[in-house]
Amino acid sequence: MTTTDDTTPEDRTTALTGHAGALAVAVARAHGVETMFTLSGAHVFPMYDGAVTADPPMRLLDVRHEQTAAFAAEATGKLTRVPGLAVLTAGPGVTNGVSAIAQAQFAGSPMVVVGGRAPANRWGSGSLQELDQPPIIAPVAKLARTLHTAGDVLPGLDAAFLAARSAHRGPAFVDIPMDELFNTASGPAPGAPVPARIEPDPDALTEVAELLSSAARPVLVLGTDVWADGAEQAALRFAEETGMPTITNGMGRGVLPAGHPLLVTKARGAAFNGSDLVVVVGTPLDFRLGYGVFGGKDGASPAQVVHLADSPGQVSGHADLAGSACGDLTWVLDGVLAAFQDLVRRPDWSGWLADLQDRVAAASARDAALLAAEADPIHPARIYGELVPRLAEDAVVIGDGGDFVSFAGKFVEPRRPGGWLDPGPYGCLGAGLGSAIAARVARPSAQVVLLLGDGAAGFSLMDVDTLVRHRLPVVMVVGNNSAWALEKGPMQMLYGYDVAADLAHRTSYDGVVRALGGAGETVTDPGGIGPALDRAFAADVPYLVNVITDVEAAYPRATFGI
Ligand SMILES: Cc1ncc(C[n+]2csc(CCOP(=O)(O)OP(=O)(O)O)c2C)c(N)n1
Ligand SMILES: [Mg+2]
């Protein structure tokens, strides 16, 4: 690729000339991309040539299944808040990435997928993998379009990155016909514009502050977009200055660190049932939050609900809202706080907070017994009893599974934001290895712990091969209950029997990892978990601790999300 400086004083633009793959890499780099996740296909070769000939080269991370490439891009977006980039070859490469793209759309994760596409000059003649892909992707992405010519790549991909990075964030997809991807074009260097911050309506902020000042038992909920929007400091400030009891979910976990006196996630039921005002920030009012209805049991009135969102389209359309505001979440939170502090009436919530704190303490005491359980077969909680004290402050913990991951949500309380990855509202099994690869790359010196149900493990474990080839050590822990437990329990409950819910007895998932060049061990005795984890953290290869757990120890679930 050549770069020319057009240095007339009036027009100091830099022009790029190169094949479309090189131009695409230049755009991605301008938007902060450092790694291209991919699985080979001739339709996208120029993307690789663009990566290896760039100065400096862009890192290529080649995986064993396109779902892993796409989940790695999604996790990169979540962890770094810079769009992750997946390059998927035409046809099946792209369709294998659809679940991860949908997951990114549901979770608001910034990512860009560049798809290969059958050549334009043969379109309609039946060339290999000739599939019109944007119509398949459009329902699950912010943007899905074909860049028809090499000349479209600079502006088209720049626009895709801008869409992915703009609130509400999400996936953007482009495909480029193979003949055009090999073609040369030139154009102005990508501007990589920074998305404009959305200004909230000041009147809406004042109304929310007024609702807050007349609340007796408020609760604050902080979700994924607080982190995605870079509002974690504003959110902590808001919680601490108002003194509101706070519950976190998704990537909002860790905004109030574990043990923070205002963090009442462990008293969630009592907080929501007893509250008269729930202020939900940066997360949809979906099944995870009772569809936005809090309390109202036994003839009591439900709590009033305020929804604060990162963009207009995210404000709930189905919930009965007492107030709402949208925009850049730092501005929203600081704006509500300033308006609240201007009000004469500053309510005293200390009694309400103290009551919830007592409940948190009681719940923690109850948990302590489970975390130390000596049961045989092993209770999954015991794994967290051993893992949590071994986690460093900057650990990245990834959950991929059913009940096993629900237990993680209950027992692993992050000490800082940006280190907890769960599947989010799309709930797609199989993100595990892709997320672990992304985490190891994004946080080279942090602990990376991947928690896998034995069922979930089957979706992506072959990509341990990728960890091995690219020398990416991570710690994997399988909660091996020989079942799809999160489905087995409900089916038993509904039918009194279950089918299609059992897995092979005590499969050696650590053996799979060893066969692929990593290491690991099976643990059947509760006392063996801690030492096995120590060996896993000390290993310099991917290491899987396969813990045989009790299938009867189901997660006590209040909702199945339907
Ligand atoms: C791609 C995908 N397929 C199926 C499901 C439905 N599902 C949700 S949880 C679950 C069971 C997971 O089993 P496992 O990973 O072993 O965890 P466990 O519940 O046994 O702890 C299934 C099948 C899903 N969420 N995603
Ligand atoms: Mg299982």
Side-chain angles (χ1 to χ4, degrees):
M1 191 167 59
T2 56
T3 306
T4 46
D5 223 353
D6 189 353
T7 45
T8 56
E10 307 78 49
D11 181 19
R12 285 194 185 279
T13 55
T14 307
L16 296 183
T17 301
H19 65 68
L23 298 177
V25 168
V27 175
R29 172 157 281 158
H31 282 274
V33 170
E34 291 176 359
T35 305
M36 181 188 296
F37 298 100
T38 193
L39 192 158
S40 189
H43 288 92
V44 293
F45 281 173
M47 295 295 296
Y48 304 160
D49 186 65
V52 297
T53 57
D55 184 19
M58 178 176 281
R59 184 175 191 174
L60 271 174
L61 220 146
D62 53 319
V63 300
R64 298 296 302 267
H65 189 318
E66 286 86 0
Q67 68 164 359
T68 297
F71 278 126
E74 198 233 344
T76 300
K78 279 177 162 160
L79 289 162
T80 65
R81 299 181 280 191
V82 169
L85 173 65
V87 173
L88 307 179
T89 198
V94 169
T95 50
N96 274 348
V98 173
S99 289
I101 297 172
Q103 178 126 306
Q105 176 85 335
F106 275 65
S109 318
M111 72 185 280
V112 170
V113 176
V114 174
R117 184 178 170 94
N121 60 11
R122 284 234 183 259
W123 197 261
S125 330
S127 71
L128 174 73
Q129 299 164 342
E130 186 192 279
L131 175 71
D132 187 20
Q133 297 151 159
I136 295 173
I137 308 291
V140 292
K142 291 189 73 176
L143 173 154
R145 56 181 288 235
T146 298
L147 305 180
H148 287 283
T149 68
D152 292 339
V153 169
L154 281 170
L157 196 55
D158 208 21
F161 272 96
L162 184 62
R165 291 172 63 189
S166 304
H168 183 60
R169 295 160 187 81
F173 174 84
V174 299
D175 61 7
I176 306 166
M178 185 179 180
D179 45 349
E180 291 296 325
L181 194 54
F182 277 87
N183 262 350
T184 295
S186 48
V194 176
R197 293 171 73 180
I198 304 171
E199 270 195 63
D201 168 6
D203 293 340
L205 302 182
T206 308
E207 278 169 33
V208 172
E210 278 163 1
L211 285 167
L212 199 52
S213 81
S214 40
R217 295 174 309 283
V219 172
L220 177 67
V221 179
L222 303 174
T224 293
D225 296 334
V226 170
W227 164 255
D229 215 30
E232 63 274 14
Q233 278 159 20
L236 181 61
R237 205 159 45 231
F238 185 89
E240 289 184 339
E241 298 278 314
T242 60
M244 282 172 83
T246 302
I247 289 167
T248 56
N249 82 5
M251 292 208 74
R253 304 188 69 211
V255 171
L256 267 63
H260 193 287
L262 291 168
L263 189 65
V264 299
T265 309
K266 280 190 184 301
R268 191 188 141 105
F272 285 155
N273 281 330
S275 177
D276 63 347
L277 177 74
V278 180
V279 178
V280 177
V281 191
T283 188
L285 297 171
D286 61 16
F287 68 93
R288 295 169 301 169
L289 289 174
Y291 303 100
V293 179
F294 303 97
K297 288 191 182 141
D298 305 324
S301 349
Q304 290 193 301
V305 180
V306 165
H307 200 192
L308 305 179
D310 67 2
S311 53
Q314 285 305 108
V315 177
S316 175
H318 66 265
D320 185 9
L321 298 178
S324 68
C326 60
D328 178 277
L329 286 176
T330 297
W331 285 346
V332 169
L333 288 161
D334 283 349
V336 174
L337 180 61
F340 178 71
Q341 287 171 331
D342 281 349
L343 292 171
V344 185
R345 200 149 62 86
R346 295 288 303 276
D348 175 12
W349 300 321
S350 55
W352 164 237
L353 174 64
D355 174 41
L356 294 175
Q357 284 170 332
D358 287 348
R359 290 170 189 270
V360 168
S364 301
R366 281 197 302 277
D367 288 352
L370 265 187
L371 290 166
E374 287 290 346
D376 177 12
I378 293 169
H379 192 291
R382 176 64 187 264
I383 299 173
Y384 298 111
E386 299 293 337
L387 177 64
V388 169
R390 288 174 168 80
L391 290 177
E393 190 183 325
D394 64 350
V396 180
V397 180
I398 301 154
D400 183 10
D403 277 3
F404 186 52
V405 173
S406 302
F407 279 114
K410 189 174 164 78
F411 297 126
V412 181
E413 192 59 60
R415 285 191 269 163
R416 51 163 88 158
W420 168 265
L421 295 188
D422 60 24
Y426 196 57
C428 186
L429 297 175
L433 262 293
S435 304
I437 291 165
R440 177 78 293 150
V441 170
R443 310 265 169 87
S445 60
Q447 288 174 333
V448 174
V449 180
L450 170 59
L451 304 166
L452 290 164
D454 52 334
F459 285 82
S460 71
L461 205 55
M462 193 66 206
D463 261 301
V464 166
D465 169 81
T466 303
L467 292 174
V468 170
R469 279 182 298 112
H470 289 272
R471 298 182 201 290
L472 304 170
V474 306
V475 173
M476 292 162 275
V477 183
V478 174
N480 188 348
N481 53 13
S482 305
W484 305 98
L486 190 148
E487 306 299 349
K488 188 177 175 78
M491 192 161 180
Q492 278 286 349
M493 201 176 72
L494 285 171
Y495 290 90
Y497 70 89
D498 67 84
V499 291
D502 288 325
L503 293 164
H505 193 54
R506 299 192 168 196
T507 298
S508 170
Y509 294 101
D510 51 313
V512 176
V513 171
R514 278 196 301 277
L516 294 171
E521 58 191 287
T522 290
V523 178
T524 53
D525 157 43
I529 300 170
L533 289 173
D534 289 336
R535 286 187 284 276
F537 282 120
D540 55 6
V541 292
Y543 197 104
L544 188 145
V545 181
N546 183 39
V547 187
I548 306 300
T549 59
D550 185 1
V551 70
E552 302 294 329
Y555 186 78
R557 202 167 291 283
T559 167
F560 295 102
I562 300 162

